[in-house]
Amino acid sequence: MIPVESVNIFKAAIALLKDPANIAKTTGEVMVQSIGSTTKDEFQFGEAFAANFLGHYLLLKELEGVLEKTTKLLKDENRGWEGARVIWLTSDTAEHHMFDPNDIMCLKGAYPYESSKRLIELIHLETAARLREKGIYSVVANPGISATDVMKGTVPTWLILVALYFFRFCFLPAVCITPFNASRSEAYLAIEVTDPNELNPKTVYQSDVTFWGTSRVRKLVLRREGVMDCSADVCTNGNVDLTKIREEVDAIYNRVKKVSA
């Protein structure tokens, strides 16, 4: 969900001329998003935060115990069960500088969509090891670029398709065009990888297509820019403390759970 209000055609043209290979990463600069948009309920969460991240995290928290018990039960019964899988969806636009650890809902920032996608990556980085100890494999997929109704009413569909085919014929990566091709990475992680031990939590599995439209999956390194990494008493200069981010998100989860109980 992207709260798009308009598209800055001038910035889009500049981005295309300056760095066409990374045009997907500049959409945050090109799309003008509504700032401070919140859910229409008592919580008043950031709209993009709630739609793109919070609902998914709440589902994981509610099912985590069930997934752990099911994994243990089926392993004990020797049914060949290798563990549950949690597949997060990120985006090329999830640039680290678009996420503010002091405003995780991005109520004040100009990039609520990008912020929510970067938050997904950060929570995955924080929880993947703990989940794996429970037999739950956390991985990150990236659907690439496809024609959806995200900008419906802002940019004509035919123009989006023309632009996407132009990008593909310029050999730009991950221009999937159709949602079917975009879902390739999720299907790959869910059913094509039979041994979950092959799943790398430090990798982003991105949907991609060849010049002729054949779908495939690319493996990219999950970026850690801005993340505070500590060893003993020494920490890097990153401004994102993963533990604090997870604690803040858990506090939100507990708040929702208390109200809905």
Side-chain angles (χ1 to χ4, degrees):
M1 178 269 179
I2 309 178
V4 181
E5 290 187 343
S6 62
V7 175
N8 190 317
I9 301 299
F10 177 74
K11 285 188 176 181
I14 294 298
L16 182 60
L17 292 173
K18 288 179 61 178
D19 192 4
N22 288 313
I23 186 66
K25 295 183 179 181
T26 63
T27 53
E29 306 287 349
V30 171
M31 294 184 297
V32 180
Q33 302 177 50
S34 58
I35 299 176
S37 180
T38 60
T39 56
K40 306 302 186 288
D41 54 29
E42 60 186 291
F43 299 110
Q44 293 190 320
F45 294 135
E47 193 172 24
F49 165 84
N52 298 330
F53 169 77
L54 185 59
H56 306 69
Y57 188 72
L58 296 180
L59 184 61
L60 170 61
K61 294 291 287 186
E62 289 296 298
L63 294 179
E64 184 177 334
V66 175
L67 294 175
E68 180 183 9
K69 291 178 181 178
T70 302
T71 295
K72 185 178 185 304
L73 176 63
L74 294 179
K75 280 187 175 181
D76 290 343
E77 294 182 358
N78 295 318
R79 295 193 184 182
W81 180 261
E82 294 292 342
R85 304 181 191 189
V86 174
I87 303 174
W88 299 98
L89 284 186
T90 186
S91 167
D92 282 331
T93 63
E95 294 292 299
H96 71 94
H97 65 273
M98 294 181 176
F99 175 80
D100 181 357
N102 297 312
D103 181 23
I104 66 171
M105 295 189 196
C106 201
L107 294 175
K108 301 176 183 178
Y111 311 107
Y113 174 77
E114 293 76 14
S115 173
S116 67
K117 290 299 183 178
R118 181 55 177 167
L119 179 57
I120 283 175
E121 295 180 348
L122 296 174
I123 287 297
H124 161 75
L125 288 171
E126 166 63 12
T127 60
R130 177 181 60 81
L131 289 174
R132 181 160 291 199
E133 292 175 356
K134 298 182 177 183
I136 304 171
Y137 294 80
S138 178
V139 285
V140 178
N142 182 336
I145 311 170
S146 63
T148 66
D149 62 355
V150 165
M151 291 188 288
K152 186 177 182 180
T154 305
V155 179
T157 302
W158 67 266
L159 183 56
I160 294 176
L161 288 172
V162 168
L164 291 180
Y165 276 106
F166 173 76
F167 294 153
R168 176 186 288 179
F169 294 146
C170 289
F171 297 97
L172 299 188
V175 184
C176 298
I177 299 181
T178 69
F180 181 83
N181 285 337
S183 66
R184 174 63 192 279
S185 57
E186 298 97 291
Y188 172 80
L189 293 172
I191 58 178
E192 291 187 36
V193 179
T194 56
D195 182 0
N197 292 304
E198 296 178 3
L199 300 174
N200 189 344
K202 297 180 181 180
T203 296
V204 174
Y205 297 83
Q206 184 183 59
S207 299
D208 190 21
V209 292
T210 65
F211 178 83
W212 302 109
T214 302
S215 64
R216 60 186 179 185
V217 175
R218 293 201 310 162
K219 297 179 182 180
L220 309 174
V221 176
L222 179 55
R223 299 160 295 180
R224 293 185 64 91
E225 292 96 332
V227 174
M228 183 184 298
D229 289 311
C230 297
S231 177
D233 295 328
V234 180
C235 294
T236 63
N237 293 323
N239 67 333
V240 177
D241 186 327
L242 294 180
T243 300
K244 288 185 178 179
I245 295 296
R246 194 245 314 145
E247 289 175 348
E248 186 170 352
V249 171
D250 280 343
I252 294 173
Y253 162 72
N254 290 329
R255 178 185 167 196
V256 173
K257 191 174 179 64
K258 181 179 180 180
V259 171
S260 60

